[in-house]
Amino acid sequence: MKDRDIWIKLLKEKYPTKQAVCREIINLTAIINLPKGTEHFMSDIHGEYEAFLHIMNNCSGVIREKVRMLFSETLSVREQQEICTLIYYPREVMNRKRNLNELSEDWYRLMLNYLLELAKMVSSKYTRSKVRRALPKEFGDIIDELLHFMPDEDDNQIRYHRQILDTIIGIENSEEFIVALAELIKRLAVDHLHIVGDIFDRGGDADKILDLLMEYHSLDIEWGNHDILWMGAACGNEASIATVVKNNMKYNNIQILESGYGISLRSLVLFGENTYPELEVMEAAQKALSIILFKLEGQTILRHPEYNMQDRLLLDKIDYENKTVVSQQITYAMKDTDFPTVDREHPYELTEGEQKVIQDLKFSFLNSHRLQKHVDFLFEKGCMYKRYNENLLYHGCIPLDEQGNFDGMEIDGNTYMGREYLDYAERMVRKVRKGEAGQDEIDFMWYLWTGKKSPLCGRNIKTFERTFIQDKTAWKEPTDPYYKFYHTEKTCNMILREFGLFSPLSHIINGHTPVKTVEGEEPVRANGKLIVIDGGFSQAYHKTTGIAGYTLIYNSHGMRIKAHQPFESVEKVLEENKDIESTSTMFETEKDRIMVGDTDEGKEIKEEIQMLKKLLEVYRGK
């Protein structure tokens, strides 16, 4: 059977009559002439749950803008902010008001009417069927009626509307209804969420962030180097496991390991105590783990000369008598050379005790149900890069050489660079998760975290130097030439073409490197072709960036970057209706409003319309 006959047969099964085909053509044609939904871009969240939750709740300020647009002439600024806070944290607001005896039927009625007006506004650019799918099951039919009632000459609809609200209040169901409306407003305010990498590390609540994301209605994730590190650890890569534990001990976040994921550090702590009895317990554990890590990294580098990371082999470069180490042909004084577990003849071999520590940790990582569930989610929703509505999204970099040309890796006689390199990397990562990988693929997950030419890393990390060398000149981490050339429009256009994007409206959306706003750096680069949205969500970066994160909003009117100030606390929001202070910069305004028909979804719908028109011809006997 020919391809055309196959799809005609399939379409007939779905649309068995001529009228069914006509109805769907009318429906799809209407959809492509609606404004495109709002896309929300975030990156480098780094475990900062409270700030992330608030940005999600206020949709990077979109909720506040909608409230202002609707109520600026009828409500004070304070009243508008009270509505916003109710939408962000409905249960918390009502609990607080209950404790203060501030809840009343009049308050419920007022808030219900305000929220319904706002829900009408944010639902106006979607089809009724799409809004219905977004409605909470418990109140779906009722909210649908309230959103779409129209006044008539006898005011029957108004009385009907009032009676529904009176009944909701009378049977004491107002609070649940307010929660449902608040969630609907937030869901419709943003149509799709992009997380451009690095959910994990530094902050201690990445697990809570992933729980939240798993409930989100529509999103994609571009893996960051910290994400791939945890993914590698969850897949059993021992160097990745040691790095994850070291990072979280360094940032005093062991609660995510022990409480969040049930990963026991007991074996490590006991080993550290026995090996370094003169040190405080956690300091001893961290030192013991550092040596285990550098041994495991060394073993990986020795297995893979193609990684070109021999400069990271430093355990064999230590002069114990003079307490120095040679790095990059320079001799540096070391802060510490008391390493009783390092065999000077075979410095990269684990002792029996170290082997037990890493095997115990590996068992915990592989058997953490919650971690494995989160990593499965990262594989399901994540990728190395994403093309979406003519934009290219990736976390780190596209490796370049010193002349600005594509660079990459030579593996098994094949050279991978540009898009082909990222596609290769994703294939290797997915093979590991499927259990189809050998040691090479498992090692490659660690390389993606830290390798010189890793598209997720883009710099030469100096973990050993930062741990054991006092002289900070040894800490400098050279970056890939990409970070020099990505300021030029020529380079960005070259990258966009490499990934099949030729539209003058295409952009690169990039994370990974914090924008040092305090030093005058700007997130929009290369004449608007590249936007870096890492503004430093993590508290550890606030002094470096001068702000507390960038997000990007792309709606039917164009693109704007949002710069956010540090988030104080949920309690502050509830007490004072104090939102995150944000500034919005519109850097690209579309002359004509962007419609669904201009998006990736719209292109698919147009193809479906054409197929349906061919089926209509069949039904008409043409």
Side-chain angles (χ1 to χ4, degrees):
M1 187 181 291
K2 294 180 180 178
D3 290 345
R4 183 178 184 277
D5 295 333
I6 292 172
W7 63 255
I8 286 290
K9 181 182 177 181
L10 293 172
L11 282 175
K12 278 186 174 180
E13 291 175 1
K14 190 173 181 181
Y15 306 103
T17 67
K18 179 175 70 174
Q19 191 54 45
V21 177
C22 291
R23 184 170 60 248
E24 187 62 8
I25 290 173
I26 293 168
N27 176 50
L28 294 176
T29 303
I31 289 173
I32 63 175
N33 286 286
L34 287 169
K36 80 174 282 295
T38 297
E39 295 173 55
H40 189 189
F41 300 76
M42 303 172 73
S43 84
D44 297 271
I45 302 154
H46 286 303
E48 297 290 346
Y49 174 72
E50 277 210 342
F52 174 74
L53 174 64
H54 191 75
I55 292 290
M56 291 281 281
N57 280 337
N58 77 1
C59 304
S60 277
V62 170
I63 298 292
R64 187 169 50 189
E65 292 166 359
K66 299 292 185 186
V67 168
R68 187 184 302 129
M69 195 181 303
L70 194 59
F71 299 115
S72 62
E73 295 185 4
T74 56
L75 298 177
S76 68
V77 172
R78 179 174 178 78
E79 289 169 327
Q80 293 173 43
Q81 192 56 54
E82 285 177 355
I83 294 172
C84 291
T85 304
L86 179 63
I87 294 168
Y88 304 159
Y89 305 104
R91 293 192 188 279
E92 293 85 347
V93 166
M94 288 184 286
N95 285 338
R96 184 177 179 80
K97 284 188 171 292
R98 183 178 297 104
N99 293 334
L100 297 172
N101 292 317
E102 293 179 357
L103 291 177
S104 66
E105 288 190 1
D106 287 342
W107 184 86
Y108 285 132
R109 186 174 286 104
L110 194 63
M111 291 303 118
L112 285 168
N113 276 295
Y114 287 153
L115 295 184
L116 280 168
E117 287 302 307
L118 197 58
K120 288 178 187 178
M121 181 187 201
V122 296
S123 66
S124 62
K125 66 178 181 180
Y126 299 115
T127 62
R128 190 166 179 176
S129 62
K130 182 166 183 173
V131 173
R132 279 200 200 101
R133 289 195 297 272
L135 295 174
K137 292 180 182 179
E138 298 84 353
F139 300 105
D141 291 340
I142 301 171
I143 294 176
D144 189 39
E145 289 284 348
L146 293 172
L147 289 181
H148 297 98
F149 93 93
M150 296 293 291
D152 57 24
E153 60 183 31
D154 296 322
D155 287 340
N156 291 323
Q157 285 289 317
I158 291 176
R159 285 195 294 271
Y160 174 58
H161 173 275
R162 186 184 301 122
Q163 186 59 55
I164 291 175
L165 294 186
D166 287 344
T167 303
I168 290 169
I169 295 167
I171 63 173
E172 298 183 354
N173 204 210
S174 306
E175 294 193 15
E176 292 304 318
F177 204 78
I178 284 172
V179 170
L181 283 172
E183 293 307 314
L184 176 66
I185 290 164
K186 287 183 281 194
R187 178 166 181 170
L188 295 178
V190 171
D191 191 46
H192 189 84
L193 174 67
H194 305 280
I195 303 293
V196 192
D198 277 0
I199 296 167
F200 285 98
D201 291 336
R202 296 194 171 87
D205 294 312
D207 56 329
K208 295 179 184 177
I209 292 170
L210 282 160
D211 283 340
L212 189 65
L213 290 175
M214 289 178 75
E215 299 298 320
Y216 203 77
H217 59 277
S218 180
L219 83 161
D220 54 67
I221 299 168
E222 290 66 55
W223 300 324
N225 56 320
H226 287 270
D227 304 320
I228 207 75
L229 175 66
W230 278 79
M231 291 159 68
C235 291
N237 181 281
E238 294 177 0
S240 297
I241 289 168
T243 306
V244 164
V245 177
K246 178 177 168 60
N247 283 350
N248 284 279
M249 292 179 78
K250 175 184 176 181
Y251 287 99
N252 198 27
N253 290 329
I254 60 172
Q255 75 275 7
I256 191 175
L257 297 170
E258 296 184 322
S259 303
Y261 290 127
I263 292 167
S264 173
L265 302 182
R266 184 173 182 274
S267 180
L268 170 62
V269 170
L270 289 175
F271 179 77
E273 278 187 299
N274 291 331
T275 308
Y276 304 103
E278 72 283 1
L279 298 180
E280 185 272 328
V281 173
M282 295 312 293
E283 185 183 353
Q286 191 166 353
K287 182 178 178 181
L289 183 66
S290 294
I291 297 301
I292 292 172
L293 170 61
F294 298 137
K295 287 184 177 184
L296 292 169
E297 287 187 339
Q299 291 174 16
T300 306
I301 292 165
L302 290 168
R303 282 195 297 269
H304 296 281
E306 73 275 14
Y307 289 177
N308 191 28
M309 295 175 67
Q310 289 74 15
D311 60 315
R312 294 275 291 270
L313 298 173
L314 295 177
L315 285 180
D316 59 328
K317 309 293 191 305
I318 297 172
D319 182 336
Y320 288 89
E321 285 65 39
N322 294 311
K323 296 186 177 182
T324 60
V325 66
V326 177
S327 174
Q328 301 288 319
Q329 300 181 330
I330 299 173
T331 301
Y332 294 98
M334 291 187 66
K335 293 186 284 186
D336 183 7
T337 56
D338 178 23
F339 307 143
T341 63
V342 176
D343 182 335
R344 300 187 190 187
E345 296 299 319
H346 306 94
Y348 300 104
E349 288 185 7
L350 295 175
T351 65
E352 186 176 334
E354 289 172 327
Q355 189 66 45
K356 182 181 186 306
V357 168
I358 199 64
Q359 288 308 312
D360 287 348
L361 287 170
K362 184 175 180 178
F363 179 85
S364 287
F365 273 83
L366 291 175
N367 290 280
S368 169
H369 174 72
R370 189 164 180 240
L371 175 60
Q372 295 298 331
K373 182 175 73 170
H374 285 167
V375 168
D376 282 340
F377 175 72
L378 287 172
F379 273 95
E380 177 191 353
K381 296 294 184 181
C383 51
M384 290 291 294
Y385 67 91
K386 185 84 173 176
R387 294 185 304 167
Y388 197 97
N389 289 341
E390 297 299 320
N391 293 313
L392 176 62
L393 288 61
Y394 54 79
H395 176 74
C397 68
I398 308 300
L400 302 176
D401 63 21
E402 293 294 342
Q403 286 71 48
N405 302 309
F406 290 120
D407 199 3
M409 289 272 291
E410 185 176 331
I411 303 172
D412 297 330
N414 297 311
T415 300
Y416 298 94
M417 58 181 64
R419 181 178 181 180
E420 187 181 26
Y421 182 24
L422 271 68
D423 287 340
Y424 170 84
E426 183 159 338
R427 288 197 304 274
M428 295 303 101
V429 169
R430 294 196 182 280
K431 281 180 70 176
V432 173
R433 193 58 176 171
K434 291 175 183 176
E436 301 171 354
Q439 188 64 51
D440 286 352
E441 290 85 359
I442 294 171
D443 287 346
F444 191 65
M445 291 193 78
W446 172 81
Y447 180 83
L448 287 173
W449 146 250
T450 190
K452 286 182 178 180
K453 287 296 177 182
S454 163
L456 299 183
C457 180
R459 71 180 191 273
N460 191 8
I461 293 178
K462 299 292 186 70
T463 311
F464 182 98
E465 291 86 339
R466 289 173 178 268
T467 305
F468 291 124
I469 296 176
Q470 190 73 45
D471 187 346
K472 291 186 179 182
T473 61
W475 298 9
K476 188 175 180 181
E477 299 178 336
T479 58
D480 192 274
Y482 168 85
Y483 295 104
K484 175 175 65 176
F485 288 104
Y486 79 162
H487 290 274
T488 68
E489 191 171 355
K490 177 183 176 182
T491 295
C492 292
N493 284 331
M494 177 186 77
I495 292 170
L496 289 166
R497 288 193 298 269
E498 170 73 4
F499 286 82
L501 295 170
F502 301 94
S503 168
L505 301 178
S506 293
H507 310 82
I508 296 169
I509 316 295
N510 206 166
H512 190 49
T513 53
V515 180
K516 297 175 183 176
T517 307
V518 71
E519 296 180 10
E521 286 187 355
E522 295 288 343
V524 182
R525 298 169 184 179
N527 198 24
K529 298 303 291 183
L530 183 141
I531 306 104
V532 181
I533 59 170
D534 179 5
F537 255 101
S538 172
Q539 291 185 25
Y541 282 137
H542 288 182
K543 288 184 179 179
T544 301
T545 61
I547 59 170
Y550 282 114
T551 54
L552 182 69
I553 295 292
Y554 179 31
N555 61 20
S556 59
H557 297 289
M559 279 189 169
R560 53 204 168 116
I561 195 86
K562 307 276 286 190
H564 306 287
Q565 294 304 310
F567 180 63
E568 292 190 46
S569 68
V570 172
E571 193 62 31
K572 205 75 169 176
V573 178
L574 297 173
E575 285 180 2
E576 303 176 17
N577 293 308
K578 189 170 184 178
D579 209 341
I580 284 182
E581 291 299 320
S582 306
T583 55
S584 180
T585 303
M586 193 83 175
F587 67 89
E588 187 167 282
T589 306
E590 302 300 337
K591 181 180 178 183
D592 298 312
R593 201 170 185 188
I594 306 170
M595 313 306 280
V596 171
D598 302 315
T599 67
D600 293 344
E601 179 191 6
K603 291 172 185 175
E604 293 176 4
I605 293 174
K606 287 176 181 178
E607 290 177 3
E608 189 174 350
I609 291 172
Q610 291 306 311
M611 288 191 290
L612 287 169
K613 286 182 176 178
K614 287 183 171 61
L615 177 59
L616 190 59
E617 291 177 0
V618 171
Y619 279 132
R620 288 172 173 167
K622 292 185 179 179

